[in-house]
Amino acid sequence: MSTPPRSRLRATDARLPLTTAAPPEGTRRRILETALQLFASRGYHDTSIRDLATALELRPSALYAHFAAKDHVLAELVRIGHEAHFEALETAFRDAQPTPVAQVRALVHAHTRVHAEHPQLAMVVNEEFYALSQELAAPAQVLRDRANAMLMDAILRGQAQGQFAPLHPAITAAAIVGMGSRIPHWFEPGGPIEVEALANTHAELALRMLGHASST
Amino acid sequence: MSTPPRSRLRATDARLPLTTAAPPEGTRRRILETALQLFASRGYHDTSIRDLATALELRPSALYAHFAAKDHVLAELVRIGHEAHFEALETAFRDAQPTPVAQVRALVHAHTRVHAEHPQLAMVVNEEFYALSQELAAPAQVLRDRANAMLMDAILRGQAQGQFAPLHPAITAAAIVGMGSRIPHWFEPGGPIEVEALANTHAELALRMLGHASST
Amino acid sequence: MSTPPRSRLRATDARLPLTTAAPPEGTRRRILETALQLFASRGYHDTSIRDLATALELRPSALYAHFAAKDHVLAELVRIGHEAHFEALETAFRDAQPTPVAQVRALVHAHTRVHAEHPQLAMVVNEEFYALSQELAAPAQVLRDRANAMLMDAILRGQAQGQFAPLHPAITAAAIVGMGSRIPHWFEPGGPIEVEALANTHAELALRMLGHASST
Amino acid sequence: MSTPPRSRLRATDARLPLTTAAPPEGTRRRILETALQLFASRGYHDTSIRDLATALELRPSALYAHFAAKDHVLAELVRIGHEAHFEALETAFRDAQPTPVAQVRALVHAHTRVHAEHPQLAMVVNEEFYALSQELAAPAQVLRDRANAMLMDAILRGQAQGQFAPLHPAITAAAIVGMGSRIPHWFEPGGPIEVEALANTHAELALRMLGHASST
DNA sequence: AATGAATGAGATTTCATTCAT
DNA sequence: TATGAATGAAATCTCATTCAT
């Protein structure tokens, strides 16, 4: 933050609610909500403890009653984000018809919804993840790998069963996952595009990329 | 950089050459090359002038004979990156057959090549752009908008001519552009995937997303 | 301060008390007292935050809990000085007989006392005022203008009533005011000249300059 | 100088000619003229070698072919100022009738002229003198003391001869000298007051302060 | 006489954090 | 749970100056 007036934000700086994976109320929750907003719009390294305290109308030292250090706040947000994401994918997968097409559709739909409904969390999870030490990032990394595996697994089963004709499964999977990651960079909640429409469109785009016949 | 031992990097920290849009040699060029590497792997705000000077085996004050301020180094990299990107797209567009399909294929191919051949520059251009003041970012923003317009224009012409059946042109364009932006996050130059293969695959994926008939 | 050994001081470096317009006690008061001494003897621009912190047996960063920036310390001293000066003049004017002669005598007497009793504050107020931005200097400028107006008004009334025969009112006013401003450059508190004697002498000199008949 | 926009100047920043005590032409002269302007309006410590070089359209290192160090530039200006001042006083004294009244009138007239015609030099001589080490200031200090002695001597002779009735010779001398020193703080060359009128007025004010009978 | 590149010291200020209260 | 005061380290940047050219 600091002195030079930065007018452009990376992401919306609206005050968005946290997911249910966060603590329900109290100062700890307020800190997380405010940090989320600041980390998303200015970045972790460009947000100081003083910026955070100022936005909370607290003194910097007060934060240390709730978090051991600045990076623990980020780690908690990253954890919350990954848990919300993973749970959404797991639920979608469990509720889908047990076919690769249905599963990919469900996974991409859920992946998109999470990114569009929680763009700040998605921004922090995707862009500020690398500011964490390996130790603090580890729990999130596990979920990240499992989520990717779910999608890759469905793609490969679909290919084996002849429903998909991917040009290159790994490249295509990266493209599909990336479609979601980019959402907070351009999507505006409350704008002209509905979250549900976006999720459906992304699901169909994924199937098109995979060469699924009926998706024209 | 700071204290906490960060083992994971955001992008390759290999020493990659700059594009021809950069100054040919001398200390200014060395500063840009080194800054590119550091900004790409650790981020602009997590790279200090001291880190940069140390990597260059110079004293911090020596940098100020070449750049007025830290953000001017970033601005120059962002400018170089956008110019290289824009020139690649322009050349590809000019050399392509004058049909929407050929043009989209050429644009996506070029877009992908630039991101895969200059992943550090792509990372800095895409992720650290927001650290610049509006004033310093303005020249790059112009090129960014023009590049997006080139693609969008080809998509809409293809749709009008019946070669494309996009589900939603704006969402699809964002997905296509985003495919490139994500490359430095996962693609390793010199790894198992060739740049040319990646570029061709992305071009075909784009046509599939646009619902181009023969791309199955 | 810096390297070159400066042996000569501009003003006494004795530790003089601040006026009652200053905060009564605490670190903020200590900072102001020490800054006053340093700014008066070495000048604002030649006194670093480190010099100030060293003299206070504090770390430089500790000062920022009390003042937002170095120039805010100067601005506060300038404010205190102007308030003490203006109040002294106002009180003297109020308590004087309502004749121009008595008023000029009272104003010059008070003006002189303030400069002789607070030579460091007078030095900082007169010589370092220009180091402040217009914004920070504004409150002091208002008092300065009002004080000058009080004197000028009395002079012009005395002239209109025939008690004064000034050669040139504006030049004479500048000379009278300047007599006070020069005090910290030569007057030594505790030296051979008493403050009260100096104040009386300056008052009579002012009346002589104004061509007041009985002042021989 | 530096970043914060300082709008108020201590003295006129017009480009005024140097006295004949300065080198006649060439870069050394240009440096002195430009330094005079900057030191007078912003102060010695707030003017950097870079500021000076920039104003001269030279590189900072070029200055070192002409002056050994920054303080040598100031010392030279201080020397020039004191020589011009002392010569003016000496000439005026020599040409005056050999009476205390005529000598005081001549000395004050010359003292005033020098300050009014060279306000920048007067400002630097009076306010930045203290930035010099004792060694560099010594030659100027000699002239300063001799000039004060000339005036004090005339005053005491006039008192002994009954032409002056000073309330306190030392205080009065300080007031008379101070009248001149204050000139650059308020007097504007080319403004409504002529230099000659100012010099005459100051001379009469001095005689009034000294209690000279006919000066009413 | 002037330049470009560099330096070592130091400038002001901000950083995350601690600790007594 | 929060505060005010303080700290040590580090941030960006400027300083006067040097030196090879």
Side-chain angles (χ1 to χ4, degrees), chain C residues 1-2 4-11 41-42 45-46 71 126-127 129-135 137 141 165-168 170-172 174-179 181-182 185-186 193 197-198 200-202 204-205 208-212 215-216, chain D residues 1 4-11 41-42 45-46 71 126-127 129-135 137 141 144 165-168 170-172 174-179 181-182 185-186 193 197-198 200-202 204-205 208-212 215-216:
Chain C
M1 232 173 214
S2 75
R6 160 115 56 112
S7 38
R8 295 154 327 97
L9 298 172
R10 275 198 322 184
S41 59
R42 287 136 158 78
H45 283 117
D46 198 25
D71 60 358
N126 284 317
E127 312 292 351
F129 183 72
Y130 299 91
L132 290 176
S133 69
Q134 209 154 11
E135 201 173 3
Q141 187 65 56
L167 299 163
H168 186 131
I171 293 176
T172 309
I176 291 170
V177 171
M179 241 185 341
S181 308
R182 295 296 305 175
H185 288 275
W186 64 270
I193 302 176
L198 180 65
N200 284 328
T201 303
H202 272 194
E204 293 311 310
L205 284 173
R208 284 185 172 190
M209 284 192 256
L210 290 166
H212 178 54
S215 302
T216 42
Chain D
M1 228 174 211
R6 160 119 53 119
S7 38
R8 293 151 338 97
L9 299 172
R10 269 198 325 184
S41 60
R42 288 138 156 77
H45 283 116
D46 198 25
D71 58 358
N126 285 316
E127 312 292 353
F129 183 73
Y130 299 91
L132 289 176
S133 68
Q134 209 154 13
E135 201 173 1
Q141 187 64 56
R144 188 174 279 227
L167 299 164
H168 187 131
I171 293 176
T172 308
I176 291 171
V177 171
M179 241 183 344
S181 309
R182 295 296 305 176
H185 288 274
W186 65 271
I193 302 177
L198 180 64
N200 285 328
T201 303
H202 272 194
E204 293 311 309
L205 283 173
R208 283 186 172 190
M209 283 193 256
L210 289 165
H212 179 54
S215 303
T216 41

Side-chain angles (χ1 to χ4, degrees), chain C residues 92-93 96-97 99-113 151 154-155 164 176 199-208 210 212 214-215, chain D residues 167:
Chain C
F93 187 87
Q97 296 280 110
T99 69
V101 171
Q103 286 168 345
V104 164
R105 206 190 301 265
L107 287 172
V108 175
H109 190 278
H111 182 65
T112 306
R113 279 206 79 94
L151 178 66
I155 289 174
F164 298 153
I176 291 170
N200 284 328
T201 303
H202 272 194
E204 293 311 310
L205 284 173
L207 292 176
R208 284 185 172 190
L210 290 166
H212 178 54
S214 73
S215 302
Chain D
L167 299 164

Side-chain angles (χ1 to χ4, degrees), chain B residues 72-96:
Chain B
H72 285 56
V73 180
L74 175 58
E76 178 77 339
L77 287 172
V78 165
R79 184 194 64 79
I80 290 169
H82 276 89
E83 288 195 2
H85 178 257
F86 186 74
E87 281 170 28
L89 259 61
E90 240 186 356
T91 301
F93 187 86
R94 193 187 327 109
D95 294 350

Side-chain angles (χ1 to χ4, degrees), chain B residues 149-207:
Chain B
M150 283 176 75
L151 178 65
M152 198 59 184
D153 181 60
I155 289 174
L156 293 177
R157 271 186 288 111
Q159 181 178 26
Q161 296 174 16
Q163 279 124 356
F164 298 152
L167 299 163
H168 186 130
I171 294 176
T172 309
I176 291 170
V177 171
M179 240 185 343
S181 308
R182 294 297 304 175
I183 288 172
H185 288 274
W186 65 269
F187 179 76
E188 294 175 43
I193 302 175
E194 297 285 335
V195 170
E196 184 61 20
L198 180 65
N200 284 328
T201 303
H202 272 195
E204 292 311 312
L205 284 173
L207 292 176

